[in-house]
Amino acid sequence: MRYTKTLALLCGLATLNLSAGLHASDQIRPPNIVVIMSDDQGRWSLGEYDDRIDTPNISYLAQQGVRFDQAISPTPVCSAARASFYTGRTASQHGVHDFLSDKDSNQKDWLADERLISEVLSDRGYRVGLFGKWHADTEGYKPVRGFDRWLTYDERNTDWVNQYQHSGTVYFSKDGAATSHTGIQARYLAESAVDFIDESGENPFAAIINFVEPHFPFDGLPERLVSRYRAVARDIMPLGDSSSLQASARIAESVTEHVEKLAQYLAAVTLVDEQVGRIMDALEGRGLLTNTLIIFTSDHGHQTGQYGLYGKGNSTIPQNLYQDSIDIPMIIYGPHGLVAPGQVRHEFVNLYDLFPTLTVIAGATEDLKHYDGPGKSLLPLLKGERLTSFRDFQHAEMGNARMVHNGRWKLVRYYQQNADDPPVDYWFDLTHPLGERAPVPAPSEAQQTQLVSALNQFFSTYEQAEHSGRRIWELPRHNAIEIWRR
């Protein structure tokens, strides 16, 4: 078992009494848990932030729950971010730094030594189900420990793109057995999750529902939704932008193409919102909503025309840590006593904070004694407490690139393959009217010292030598097109 970091141990001890009190006084049993994770969804793409985007059900969760306006992903690429959600640890701790390919990965069982949130919840008596995208390891068709229901994609007899089809026939693995569904994929996943909820009996349930929307391909969405956005897409995100980094992947070749892609992307967002409403209705109709915690989030952000790019951290060479790539929606709704409704919080929070949060809410605080990740329980924020400090800096990484910012000044540091070569630093001013289109001159010496120190201290605490992104060229290959090997 990994040695416990002092900070994590203190966190676990501090939350022990809080969790015990929660279940003794506020709840008859631990709350049910529903995690809804979209794929490649930037925070900007919700109706909460732009009323031309139609997401009324997610807005209801925000208005009756807590909206976190400074939530980020720890790594702006699917597998790495999802691995951090399931483990509560950084990429430089669990070792997944890029998307994993069944065909091109040099390793299997990337998370073999990790304690997963599914195991934490299962050990506390939860029935745990996964519906949709897993992608935190290779050979995803194989059920993973801690899950009682496993409905994810099966690449054994099809190509990897099949899982991202929004409509048509998609091939799945249901508890390890091959199956398929023809129709609107998102609706099938929502209905399958409701079926699982109905099977839960007296045990609390935890349903993790991972939609592939609004991930590429930008086609195949219901026309009734796409048609809503074609007329406004250009106003929501006009085409015609650039940045100092070279594009590595998709760009829009024309305004017409961009309008259609963006309309499809936003239609996918609205399709997910409809499934959120369907799940909430199912919970309410069964008398379960008042004791269910609902989390809506995404694995990372997305550029959908910003800087003339389509994609996330690997949309540029070298990889980027743009705010558009790392900013994610995070909205949490739940029972009274757990969640003080109507809040908008501006604390720096991260996707990996959900691991200790769910651990505490499930009453599994014993697990926190062995937790050495950087996550912090969000429960005090959910309950509406005023804190004098929570987190002073945001951190993210992708391979040999690392980031720290304090809300204004941002440092992105690229470590070199030759460890004797100094890192390459880029500074950004997040208040600059041109955003991160180009680096700016470094801030004052005091500001530089503060941010460099914060970056070094964070990663010296939350990395393991055998998984460190500073050694990315020596680590097992994730896929055939890793961005740092181009």
Side-chain angles (χ1 to χ4, degrees):
M1 183 171 289
R2 297 184 299 268
Y3 287 106
T4 305
K5 302 286 186 184
T6 302
L7 183 61
L9 177 58
L10 292 175
C11 174
L13 294 174
T15 54
L16 184 59
N17 292 334
L18 176 62
S19 180
L22 169 70
H23 297 311
S25 61
D26 293 333
Q27 302 295 327
I28 297 173
R29 69 173 190 175
N32 304 307
I33 295 168
V34 174
V35 178
I36 300 170
M37 183 179 290
S38 58
D39 194 352
D40 280 22
Q41 184 170 6
R43 186 195 302 148
W44 60 271
S45 65
L46 286 180
E48 282 290 292
Y49 304 100
D50 189 325
D51 60 13
R52 294 167 295 186
I53 300 171
D54 192 14
T55 55
N57 298 300
I58 296 170
S59 289
Y60 177 84
L61 292 179
Q63 292 155 13
Q64 301 300 317
V66 182
R67 192 183 86 195
F68 292 92
D69 276 1
Q70 294 293 330
I72 69 166
S73 172
T75 305
V77 69
C78 301
S79 299
R82 290 166 189 271
S84 290
F85 164 73
Y86 288 108
T87 66
R89 306 175 83 217
T90 69
S92 283
Q93 289 181 304
H94 56 62
V96 182
H97 291 270
D98 201 357
F99 75 85
L100 295 172
S101 167
D102 276 4
K103 294 181 175 62
D104 298 322
S105 171
N106 287 164
Q107 179 173 299
K108 306 298 179 187
D109 298 325
W110 289 74
L111 301 181
D113 298 327
E114 298 293 329
R115 173 77 164 163
L116 305 178
I117 192 61
S118 54
E119 297 176 281
V120 173
L121 296 174
S122 180
D123 288 350
R124 291 296 298 176
Y126 280 80
R127 291 189 69 251
V128 186
L130 176 86
F131 304 89
K133 190 171 183 177
W134 162 245
H135 208 201
D137 206 339
T138 53
E139 299 182 326
Y141 58 86
K142 296 179 179 178
V144 169
R145 58 194 183 276
F147 287 97
D148 300 283
R149 175 58 42 80
W150 188 253
L151 180 65
T152 189
Y153 305 102
D154 193 341
E155 291 186 38
R156 287 173 289 185
N157 296 309
T158 188
D159 57 46
W160 67 272
V161 176
N162 179 260
Q163 66 189 287
Y164 294 106
Q165 287 187 188
H166 309 297
S167 59
T169 300
V170 177
Y171 294 91
F172 290 92
S173 167
K174 183 175 182 179
D175 300 331
T179 186
S180 65
H181 175 77
T182 301
I184 299 298
Q185 184 194 156
R187 180 163 184 156
Y188 172 62
L189 295 178
E191 291 171 347
S192 298
V194 173
D195 289 343
F196 170 77
I197 289 169
D198 284 340
E199 298 168 6
S200 295
E202 296 302 314
N203 289 343
F205 59 81
I208 300 173
I209 309 163
N210 294 338
F211 297 108
V212 296
E213 286 79 21
H215 192 287
F216 165 88
F218 307 118
D219 59 49
L221 278 303
E223 177 61 21
R224 66 182 176 83
L225 300 179
V226 180
S227 63
R228 296 185 193 182
Y229 291 111
R230 289 194 181 102
V232 297
R234 180 180 172 278
D235 296 326
I236 291 173
M237 190 68 65
L239 185 67
D241 210 342
S242 60
S243 75
S244 59
L245 297 181
Q246 176 186 342
S248 66
R250 295 179 295 273
I251 59 174
E253 299 295 339
S254 68
V255 173
T256 300
E257 182 187 30
H258 168 68
V259 165
E260 182 63 21
K261 285 184 175 182
L262 183 56
Q264 295 275 345
Y265 181 92
L266 296 175
V269 170
T270 297
L271 180 64
V272 169
D273 181 81
E274 290 181 346
Q275 310 320 307
V276 171
R278 179 170 282 112
I279 293 163
M280 291 177 64
D281 288 349
L283 292 169
E284 186 171 11
R286 289 158 175 77
L288 299 170
L289 189 59
T290 57
N291 195 38
T292 299
L293 185 83
I294 302 175
I295 298 172
F296 178 82
T297 190
S298 186
D299 51 356
H300 48 73
H302 194 262
Q303 295 127 29
T304 317
Q306 297 95 323
Y307 307 134
L309 299 168
Y310 279 79
K312 47 260 187 180
N314 53 15
S315 68
T316 60
I317 300 174
Q319 68 272 32
N320 71 78
L321 290 163
Y322 289 140
Q323 292 302 118
D324 294 306
S325 295
I326 62 175
D327 283 346
I328 58 173
M330 187 179 291
I331 292 167
I332 302 180
Y333 167 99
H336 293 292
L338 264 183
V339 177
Q343 297 184 73
V344 177
R345 307 288 312 212
H346 296 279
E347 287 86 357
F348 288 163
V349 303
N350 199 297
L351 188 64
Y352 47 56
D353 291 330
L354 294 178
F355 183 96
T357 302
L358 293 176
T359 298
V360 169
I361 287 173
T365 49
E366 197 68 22
D367 265 84
L368 292 181
K369 294 181 180 179
H370 310 291
Y371 172 62
D372 64 355
K376 294 186 175 186
S377 171
L378 302 178
L379 190 56
L381 307 182
L382 295 178
K383 294 168 78 74
E385 295 181 16
R386 179 187 180 277
L387 304 182
T388 55
S389 109
F390 184 75
R391 186 177 275 136
D392 294 327
F393 302 95
Q394 287 280 42
H395 296 90
E397 63 177 316
M398 187 176 176
N400 61 309
R402 290 178 173 176
M403 182 281 297
V404 59
H405 80 67
N406 63 6
R408 178 180 179 182
W409 296 110
K410 176 175 180 176
L411 168 64
V412 179
R413 170 167 285 187
Y414 294 90
Y415 290 94
Q416 303 304 296
Q417 187 166 1
N418 182 349
D420 293 330
D421 291 340
V424 177
D425 289 348
Y426 296 100
W427 292 93
F428 298 90
D429 180 352
L430 297 181
T431 67
H432 196 287
L434 295 181
E436 297 170 86
R437 286 164 181 79
V440 300
S444 70
E445 203 168 304
Q447 289 281 7
Q448 292 180 57
T449 299
Q450 182 190 51
L451 269 78
V452 170
S453 175
L455 183 77
N456 291 336
Q457 181 177 357
F458 179 86
F459 283 102
S460 67
T461 304
Y462 301 114
E463 72 175 332
Q464 294 182 192
E466 65 272 26
H467 297 315
S468 172
R470 296 182 64 167
R471 301 177 53 240
I472 195 66
W473 302 275
E474 305 167 36
L475 303 184
R477 187 184 291 261
H478 301 75
N479 56 71
I481 55 171
E482 284 179 329
I483 197 73
W484 39 83
R485 299 183 199 269
R486 294 190 186 185

